[in-house]
Structures are given as C-alpha cells and as structure tokens.
Amino acid sequence: MQLQFFPSKTMAFYMAKMFLVRTFAVLAMLVLVLQTLDLLGESGKILAYPGNGDAELWRYIGLRVPQIIDRFLPFSVLLGTLITLATLNQNSEVISMKAAGLSAHQVLAPLLLTSIIVAAISFAFDERIVVRANASLDAWQQVEYGPVPRASGVKTNVWVRDGEQLVQAGTVQGRGKDTVLGDVRIFTRTDNVLRSITKAPRARYAGGMWQLEDAVRFDVTRGTQERLGTVRVAPEVRPDQFTLSKVDPDGLSFGELRLAIADLKDAGRPIQSLEANLWHKISGPLSATLMPLLGAVAAFGLARSGKLFVRAVIGMALGFAYFVADNFALAMGNLGAYPPLMAAWAPFFLFLLVGETVLIRTEE
C-alpha cells in the first residue's frame, strides 16, 4: 500500500470533493465581501461622471471580480485546505487512514492533485479573462470612468534617448520602416546642459536616419532661431524604439508579454522587471499546489489534545508567510535587486522545501 499514491479511489474522490467545495465556498465568500467593500469605495467616482448609473456600476463589478478571484484564489485554496484537513482530523478520519497504512503524503495526495488542477484552471482564467479585464479597467480608470476612446493604433508623447539627445514624438503611427512621427522635438545637450531644440511637424525613417520636414532649430545659448528645411538626424534611433510604448504586464497574456519583452530587448530597453512578471504568471497560479503542503500540519496530531487550533494557526501562518515572501521577491525583482527567475521562483521552491521538511520531520 505504501507504493501506491492513491490506495483508494473512493477516498481520493471523497477528499477531493470536500477540498473543492470548501475552497470555492471560501472564494465566493471572499469575492462577495471584498467586491462589496471595493464598490463602496469606487461607486462615488463612477457616479461622479455625468451620465453614469447602474449599468456602469455593474460594468465595474464585471471587470473587478476577475481581478479579485485571481488574487485571492491561492489564499482560498489555503483556507479550503485547513478547513478540510481540520474536519477530517476532528472526525478521526485521518487516524483511520494512517491506521490503514497510509503515509502522510498519501493522505495529502488527493488534495495535491486537485490543487494542480485548480492551478491549471487559474492560469487559463488569468490568460483568457483577467488580463482583458485588467486592460479594460485600466483604460476606463484613465478617463475617470467616462467613455473610453477606440484604440486607433496611434501612440502619443513618446520619448527616446540618443546619446546626449532626447527625441520627443507627439504622435507615432505605423511600424518598422513605415513609422511616421508627428510634432517632433529634439533636445540636444552637452554635459547635461541644453544647447538647442530642433522642431519639426513631421519625420519619416529613410536611409537609416530620420528625415525631418520643415525643421526649425532654436539655439538656447544665442537665443536665435534657424530654419533648416529638410534634414536627416538621429541615425542610432530605430523605429521600434518609438513604437514600443509602456508595457503593462498585468494587461498582457504570457505570450503577448513574451513578445513585448523580445521587442523591448531589441530596442535596448530594460526588461528585468517585465521578465520577473512574465515568470510570475506561471509561479503565481502554481502557488495553489503549495497550499495543501503548507496547511498539512492541521491534518495530523490528536484532535482531542486541544492542539488542533494551534496546528491550524501554524498552517495559516506558513501560508501567509509565503504570500509575504512572494510579494517581497516580486517587488525586489521589479526594482532590479533580484534576478527575474529568482524573484519569480525563489519563494515557491523555498516554501516547497519548508513544507516538505515540516511534513517529513513531524509525520513521516
């Protein structure tokens, strides 16, 4: 029996069903409470825009609920694990399983397999629904809950650095060699001192340089202005440096973010924080598989000894410690203090070892 991971299909389905029901019951309760509190705080801002009413409130709920589900699903898995294992322990079912020859890992096996399925569902839910809700809600909040303009493909107010020069494009249209800049300003500096400002209403990429039309240069030192006509400048600036605007990792799927990172890397922009967020799109949902292991302390020990509550608190403390460590590591990754892979995966593997150590030392 020790060599079989699931000695009894009936017991495995029984425990998996208990675990899923309690997990999603906790998740539903958290979503209801948190969405109510969040709506109380945002309803004033939503209704402040003229013409907004009940439809906009329901729209906000539809966009906000996926975010809450995605954020608190691992926490719900932790609470579902603690409630399930504490109930089994209190009813002496865990003792019966161990008396039948099951090891601690075999007792937890149904929960571990079920949590892997939950993690896969969470990843798919994040890729298909949450990223779209994040992008839509962010765009809506930027216009203060007013009408969101249609995406035209035109980027605005883009800055690019070329050595001592700063190039500002008021508008950017097209991609690659067909990129067209509008309302262009080039700030030329020497030793961080502004020397001249070149303005042009339009610029095209031609012959490996940017061709300014009707350019005018203002000499800051002399206070004079000179008409240049058509000139070519900034040979080191590539078109993709303008077409790549600010990337929001929460509003992009794993594949889209990976492509954006590749484009930014080619453009010579920093990508460390985005790489950390990229790998966290996998390690985040996968953290649900850790919760049965971290909450396993609630399953073992005699319930009548009065220490069941203490064990449940220890399991909850381990789960909370993981969430704190995960957020801290991701923040350090965004700041560049941690390498991207370390920021995304170090807390996961650390608490995997902690959970296994606690389980083996106490029960195996």
Side-chain angles (χ1 to χ4, degrees):
M1 183 172 290
Q2 292 290 339
L3 299 179
Q4 298 178 10
F5 208 50
F6 299 103
S8 172
K9 291 183 179 180
T10 302
M11 184 194 70
F13 281 115
Y14 169 69
M15 293 183 64
K17 181 181 177 181
M18 285 184 63
F19 173 62
L20 281 176
V21 169
R22 284 155 177 76
T23 295
F24 285 104
V26 171
L27 180 62
M29 179 190 67
L30 288 175
V31 170
L32 180 62
V33 173
L34 294 173
Q35 179 60 80
T36 301
L37 296 175
D38 182 68
L39 186 61
L40 288 174
E42 289 292 320
S43 58
K45 299 178 183 178
I46 297 172
L47 297 176
Y49 193 89
N52 284 357
D54 292 343
E56 283 70 27
L57 292 177
W58 284 110
R59 179 188 175 190
Y60 176 79
I61 292 174
L63 295 175
R64 192 72 175 94
V65 165
Q67 295 181 342
I68 297 176
I69 292 175
D70 179 64
R71 178 168 298 180
F72 288 94
L73 181 57
F75 180 67
S76 300
V77 173
L78 173 64
L79 293 181
T81 298
L82 293 173
I83 296 172
T84 300
L85 296 180
T87 302
L88 293 174
N89 191 1
Q90 193 170 20
N91 294 334
S92 300
E93 292 173 277
V94 174
I95 296 177
S96 300
M97 296 176 196
K98 298 197 72 175
L102 271 67
S103 66
H105 284 87
Q106 287 174 317
V107 173
L108 294 177
L111 273 63
L112 291 172
L113 179 60
T114 307
S115 64
I116 293 175
I117 297 174
V118 171
I121 295 174
S122 176
F123 178 78
F125 180 74
D126 181 61
E127 290 289 288
R128 300 296 299 175
I129 297 177
V130 177
V131 293
R132 297 178 182 178
N134 288 338
S136 299
L137 184 57
D138 182 64
W140 195 23
Q141 288 177 335
Q142 286 182 0
V143 294
E144 298 181 350
Y145 300 109
V148 179
R150 290 186 177 182
S152 61
V154 178
K155 297 177 175 61
T156 59
N157 194 28
V158 180
W159 291 77
V160 172
R161 182 175 181 178
D162 177 25
E164 289 291 326
Q165 292 183 330
L166 289 176
V167 183
Q168 180 193 15
T171 60
V172 180
Q173 303 181 56
R175 292 184 62 85
K177 295 182 179 180
D178 297 328
T179 303
V180 178
L181 309 181
D183 191 18
V184 183
R185 289 177 172 83
I186 301 177
F187 301 87
T188 303
R189 303 176 302 170
T190 303
D191 297 328
N192 293 325
V193 177
L194 182 63
R195 299 299 182 183
S196 65
I197 301 175
T198 304
K199 298 182 181 180
R202 189 179 179 88
R204 293 178 176 272
Y205 192 69
M209 300 180 70
W210 290 95
Q211 181 174 300
L212 304 180
E213 301 176 2
D214 298 327
V216 177
R217 177 185 296 164
F218 176 74
D219 192 313
V220 177
T221 305
R222 298 177 180 179
T224 59
Q225 182 172 294
E226 177 186 2
R227 292 191 175 274
L228 303 177
T230 301
V231 293
R232 293 189 175 188
V233 297
E236 301 297 329
V237 178
R238 300 184 307 274
D240 55 10
Q241 291 179 267
F242 289 99
T243 56
L244 290 174
S245 58
K246 182 180 179 181
V247 177
D248 178 18
D250 294 331
L252 298 175
S253 65
F254 182 86
E256 292 171 341
L257 182 56
R258 189 174 182 180
L259 291 176
I261 289 175
D263 290 341
L264 288 170
K265 186 176 182 180
D266 292 339
R269 298 192 184 183
I271 57 173
Q272 286 79 6
S273 63
L274 292 177
E275 284 186 329
N277 283 274
L278 175 71
W279 293 114
H280 194 263
K281 284 183 176 291
I282 298 177
S283 64
L286 201 60
S287 64
T289 60
L290 287 179
M291 299 304 115
L293 194 61
L294 298 178
V297 292
F300 307 102
L302 296 177
R304 61 176 178 269
S305 65
K307 295 183 179 180
L308 178 59
F309 177 75
V310 176
R311 285 175 168 267
V313 171
I314 294 174
M316 187 175 295
L318 287 174
F320 273 116
Y322 168 76
F323 294 128
V324 172
D326 183 55
N327 290 329
F328 176 79
L330 187 60
M332 291 295 101
N334 290 334
L335 293 174
Y338 286 179
L341 286 176
M342 180 179 177
W345 290 105
F348 179 86
F349 287 108
L350 173 62
F351 278 84
L352 177 64
L353 294 176
V354 169
E356 279 291 340
T357 301
V358 172
L359 186 64
I360 293 174
R361 295 279 296 184
T362 58
E363 301 301 331
E364 295 290 15

